[in-house]
Amino acid sequence: MPIPAVPVSLYKSHPRIWKTASRLAVATVSLTSKLYFKCFHKTNVYPSQYHLDDLARANWDRPIITVSNHMSCVDDPLLWGILYRSSTVIRHWDKVRWVPGAHELCYEGGKFVKLKGLTMSLGKTSSCRRGEGVYQPCMDFSIEQLNQNRPVHIFVEGKVNETRNLIRTKWGIGRLIQDCERPPIVLPWVHRGMEEVLPMYHSIPKFNKKITIGIGDPIETEELLEECRRLNFSELATRKYITDVVELKLDKLCRRINDIHYKD
């Protein structure tokens, strides 16, 4: 199994060391994030007491894709401290998401670029190059993970969007669903408030902010794919149709969470 970006040689020569380091990194960041939100912010999740790993536990042998909006450069990894149970990040590393991250932000620039890249990769972030389309190594890597029933998260807007409305969903989600060996379950979720915790072009986080997270209903993609086959859609038409369905579901959830978060 290829590991993206920096620690390729380390993984190939010492895979156990890499996996142990990744487990430690994921658990440390997730548990610290959980404590950070609990102590310094007001966080509400709808439905309450629901965690993303509830879906994984009920579908242990199914590929799962989570999709969401993207309001801050620290959405990932911080929000996973809320969305995952502590027991999951400690005991079930394989059920913690992989996520494509922008190569120019995660793996380039700065004095400590190698350390930054290593940290991102140990945190299960693959290197995604903007503008290279849906057929690039990070997408192939994401499909490999899904085929091994490892969850993948996608920020479907493709960039940070601090507005209340979603922007067009990128077609990458359509390719993941279409090319997965087994039709995956797609779980949409939407969040509000992270744009105030760390706005764009700021480096110091703010405190005492309201964070709202809404988790939608799972989408069974097998029915969507069967519909496309029945209608004799081309590969491109299938990808667009699936992407449009995901965008519609996410937009509906977004409007509902906007009503909750901004009601005051």
Side-chain angles (χ1 to χ4, degrees):
M1 178 184 72
I3 294 297
V6 177
V8 173
S9 59
L10 175 62
Y11 176 79
K12 289 181 177 179
S13 58
H14 300 89
R16 290 185 179 180
I17 294 177
W18 186 92
K19 185 171 285 190
T20 299
S22 180
R23 286 178 183 272
L24 180 61
V26 168
T28 300
V29 172
S30 182
L31 296 177
T32 302
S33 299
K34 190 181 294 291
L35 182 64
Y36 168 71
F37 281 110
K38 185 174 183 179
C39 294
F40 299 114
H41 299 287
K42 180 182 178 181
T43 306
N44 295 299
V45 179
Y46 300 91
S48 62
Q49 305 304 316
Y50 185 91
H51 295 78
L52 294 190
D53 38 7
D54 289 335
L55 183 64
R57 290 174 186 225
N59 298 273
W60 204 255
D61 60 344
R62 292 285 304 278
I64 295 174
I65 304 173
T66 54
V67 296
S68 76
N69 62 317
H70 198 6
M71 301 204 77
S72 167
C73 62
V74 293
D75 293 346
D76 189 300
L78 294 189
L79 288 176
W80 298 106
I82 302 172
L83 295 169
Y84 281 135
R85 287 185 174 86
S86 300
S87 59
T88 298
V89 298
I90 294 173
R91 297 172 56 192
H92 302 294
W93 176 85
D94 273 357
K95 293 304 178 182
V96 175
R97 96 296 170 258
W98 280 94
V99 58
H103 182 86
E104 71 274 15
L105 298 178
C106 298
Y107 294 102
E108 290 183 348
K111 296 180 179 179
F112 305 103
V113 61
K114 290 186 178 180
L115 178 61
K116 179 174 69 171
L118 177 61
T119 302
M120 291 292 179
S121 196
L122 291 176
K124 305 183 75 173
T125 301
S126 59
S127 171
C128 182
R129 295 180 180 271
R130 289 172 174 166
E132 294 192 5
V134 300
Y135 292 99
Q136 59 172 295
C138 86
M139 299 301 291
D140 297 336
F141 179 81
S142 296
I143 292 171
E144 289 178 19
Q145 304 315 303
L146 290 169
N147 288 339
Q148 297 179 64
N149 299 326
R150 294 168 179 157
V152 169
H153 180 73
I154 299 291
F155 290 109
V156 292
E157 297 170 290
K159 65 179 182 179
V160 171
N161 170 27
E162 294 185 317
T163 71
R164 298 186 183 187
N165 301 313
L166 294 176
I167 58 178
R168 183 180 64 85
T169 296
K170 304 300 183 184
W171 286 23
I173 181 63
R175 194 219 156 179
L176 293 187
I177 295 170
Q178 188 176 17
D179 289 357
C180 198
E181 290 178 357
R182 184 176 180 185
I185 301 172
V186 176
L187 184 67
W189 58 275
V190 167
H191 63 92
R192 289 288 180 253
M194 288 298 292
E195 75 282 10
E196 296 184 16
V197 172
L198 189 67
M200 288 183 69
Y201 310 115
H202 288 68
S203 57
I204 301 176
K206 299 180 180 181
F207 298 94
N208 196 30
K209 297 299 180 181
K210 177 182 176 183
I211 311 297
T212 306
I213 300 174
I215 301 175
D217 296 324
I219 304 170
E220 281 287 357
T221 61
E222 185 172 6
E223 297 176 1
L224 298 179
L225 292 167
E226 287 180 355
E227 178 72 5
C228 291
R229 286 191 289 267
R230 186 182 67 82
L231 296 173
N232 199 28
F233 280 177
S234 66
E235 179 180 332
L236 191 62
T238 298
R239 191 183 309 148
K240 181 181 186 306
Y241 176 75
I242 293 171
T243 302
D244 288 346
V245 170
V246 172
E247 180 177 318
L248 183 64
K249 298 281 188 181
L250 198 61
D251 184 67
K252 184 178 180 181
L253 179 62
C254 177
R255 295 175 186 274
R256 179 154 58 89
I257 296 307
N258 281 350
D259 291 341
I260 295 173
H261 184 78
Y262 298 112
K263 65 180 179 182
D264 297 332

